[in-house]
Amino acid sequence: MTEPIRIIQHNLNRLRIASHQLAEVCRANKTDIALLQEPVIARGKVVGFETFRQIHSGNKAGAAIIIMNSEVQALSFEQYKTDYTVAASLGLNEHKMIVVSSYFKYSLATNVFIEQLRPILDMEARTIVGADVNGHSTLWHSPESNERGRQVEDLVEDYLLHTVNRRGTINTYDRPGMGTSNIDVTLATRNMMGQVTDWMVTDETDSDHRVISYKVAIARTRPEPGPIRYNTSMAYWNKMLAYLTMNVGNVDERTVDSHADGLVTLLKSAADISIPRTKPRNQNKGRQIWWSPRLTELKKTLERSRRLGQRTGEPEVYREH
């Protein structure tokens, strides 16, 4: 399957009627994958989805994944399954991606669930996380961040994740007497940037959480090039420095993304003209021989600045950093 897959993400709040309502919505929208939090499970099956393949830990599970399209090949990561986090690999070979459903139960410490996500993210695969994080953050457009939200922000920073939530939509949570907020979050790894589209929030069920839906390109938009190695023992460092100095002013700074892309392109070009290449051998995928811990720190700083600009909506704030 190479067409975009349709994903719905929803906290059912353990309501049977909401589960039936969501099943109808999924069928009407031809949903491929449902990422559920606080599902209603009876006799080992999520209510309303009994005929579909399911991944969860049992009747008391806080998270579940429903595979509604039989053409989507899914493999459960049993080693990472808990009552609150489940993950599955979708597709085959170069079209693989991972989907995760996670419920950050309010009565437990946020770090419990963050540690459940880390080994999944450590695989460095193309990953989408649908989670009720029960925390506020300006990253997902809450008015301000609280302690729970800040802990999730640290996870986002550690793995350079992208927050898919869009500004200007209705809030993801609304309970009469308790107010409205954004606590349901969609996160994507950096290698999924641009492949998650049509993210929206709609009010479809009797749950106090709203339904989140989006599309994901399960196939890569283009083949990834093989790893490149450079013979640094023959590098012309002065030539590289001169090239960077001469061309850094040409980087497009009009938007956060264009600035980041421009810097990456500039570094690659500088390496190509000043460091001879060697044939790759036993090289980790995606790692360049000239990459260093210092560049990793600079990359993290750039990501923090990008997210700051994303929060404020003001490019000037990004440029200041």
Side-chain angles (χ1 to χ4, degrees):
M1 180 178 182
T2 58
E3 293 296 317
I5 61 172
R6 299 172 183 267
I7 297 180
I8 270 184
Q9 172 185 335
H10 190 42
N11 183 319
L12 291 164
N13 201 29
R14 308 280 188 194
L15 292 177
R16 183 175 290 266
I17 186 172
S19 198
H20 283 293
Q21 290 167 336
L22 184 68
E24 292 180 8
V25 170
C26 288
R27 290 186 179 93
N29 294 340
K30 297 182 179 179
T31 299
D32 299 302
I33 302 291
L35 307 179
L36 307 181
Q37 296 82 47
E38 292 196 276
V40 185
I41 303 176
R43 298 180 181 179
K45 294 289 186 179
V46 177
V47 171
F49 297 87
E50 290 86 355
T51 60
F52 300 105
R53 185 180 172 193
Q54 312 184 0
I55 300 172
H56 54 74
S57 64
N59 287 349
K60 296 183 179 180
I65 296 174
I66 311 293
I67 299 93
M68 303 188 69
N69 186 338
S70 59
E71 294 183 8
V72 175
Q73 300 188 43
L75 177 65
S76 172
F77 286 104
E78 292 295 308
Q79 67 271 39
Y80 302 129
K81 182 191 291 184
T82 72
D83 284 346
Y84 303 105
T85 299
V86 287
S89 174
L90 306 183
L92 292 171
N93 302 324
E94 72 275 9
H95 293 162
K96 276 187 179 179
M97 62 171 284
I98 294 173
V99 292
V100 182
S101 177
S102 188
Y103 171 54
F104 289 40
K105 190 173 182 179
Y106 192 79
S107 60
L108 298 178
T110 298
N111 192 55
V112 170
F113 312 107
I114 288 175
E115 293 307 312
Q116 292 176 5
L117 291 176
R118 286 189 184 277
I120 301 172
L121 295 170
D122 282 340
M123 291 189 285
E124 297 186 353
R126 301 163 67 238
T127 304
I128 295 290
V129 179
D132 172 3
V133 300
N134 265 315
H136 300 161
S137 169
T138 54
L139 278 184
W140 44 91
H141 312 303
S142 301
E144 58 185 17
S145 299
N146 62 10
E147 180 56 32
R148 285 177 173 267
R150 282 188 285 271
Q151 291 183 53
V152 181
E153 288 176 0
D154 289 341
L155 179 75
V156 169
E157 179 176 317
D158 288 346
Y159 291 93
L160 302 179
L161 303 178
H162 172 62
T163 307
V164 184
N165 295 47
R166 291 172 53 190
R167 187 187 302 274
T169 61
I170 60 174
N171 287 344
T172 66
Y173 174 84
D174 185 9
R175 174 178 288 186
M178 295 189 65
T180 178
S181 62
N182 287 317
I183 55 176
D184 302 282
V185 183
T186 307
L187 301 173
T189 50
R190 188 164 179 81
N191 49 12
M192 292 293 291
M193 288 281 285
Q195 298 180 42
V196 184
T197 60
D198 299 337
W199 191 94
M200 65 178 65
V201 183
T202 54
D203 194 0
E204 307 275 4
T205 76
D206 285 3
S207 171
D208 47 20
H209 293 255
R210 268 82 178 247
V211 174
I212 298 172
S213 61
Y214 43 94
K215 297 177 183 176
V216 179
I218 194 168
R220 299 183 192 277
T221 54
R222 59 181 181 275
E224 288 191 348
I228 300 172
R229 297 185 67 188
Y230 292 87
N231 187 351
T232 54
S233 65
M234 299 180 65
Y236 296 92
W237 296 117
N238 289 337
K239 185 177 181 180
M240 186 176 190
L241 179 60
Y243 182 88
L244 291 171
T245 303
M246 183 182 302
N247 292 281
V248 69
N250 297 327
V251 174
D252 184 358
E253 299 183 3
R254 288 177 295 178
T255 68
V256 171
D257 289 334
S258 67
H259 196 180
D261 291 342
L263 289 174
V264 170
T265 301
L266 178 61
L267 281 171
K268 288 181 177 178
S269 298
D272 284 340
I273 68 168
S274 58
I275 313 176
R277 292 188 182 188
T278 61
K279 291 183 179 180
R281 183 174 58 187
N282 297 327
Q283 181 72 8
N284 289 334
K285 193 172 185 179
R287 301 292 176 89
Q288 308 297 339
I289 197 169
W290 47 267
W291 199 263
S292 68
R294 173 59 177 161
L295 288 176
T296 298
E297 289 302 314
L298 289 173
K299 184 178 179 182
K300 286 187 176 182
T301 299
L302 178 64
E303 282 298 311
R304 281 193 290 268
S305 299
R306 181 183 68 81
R307 287 194 295 273
L308 183 59
Q310 196 178 47
R311 294 176 193 174
T312 62
E314 298 177 3
E316 293 77 12
V317 174
Y318 167 74
R319 294 192 186 100
E320 288 175 3
H321 292 73

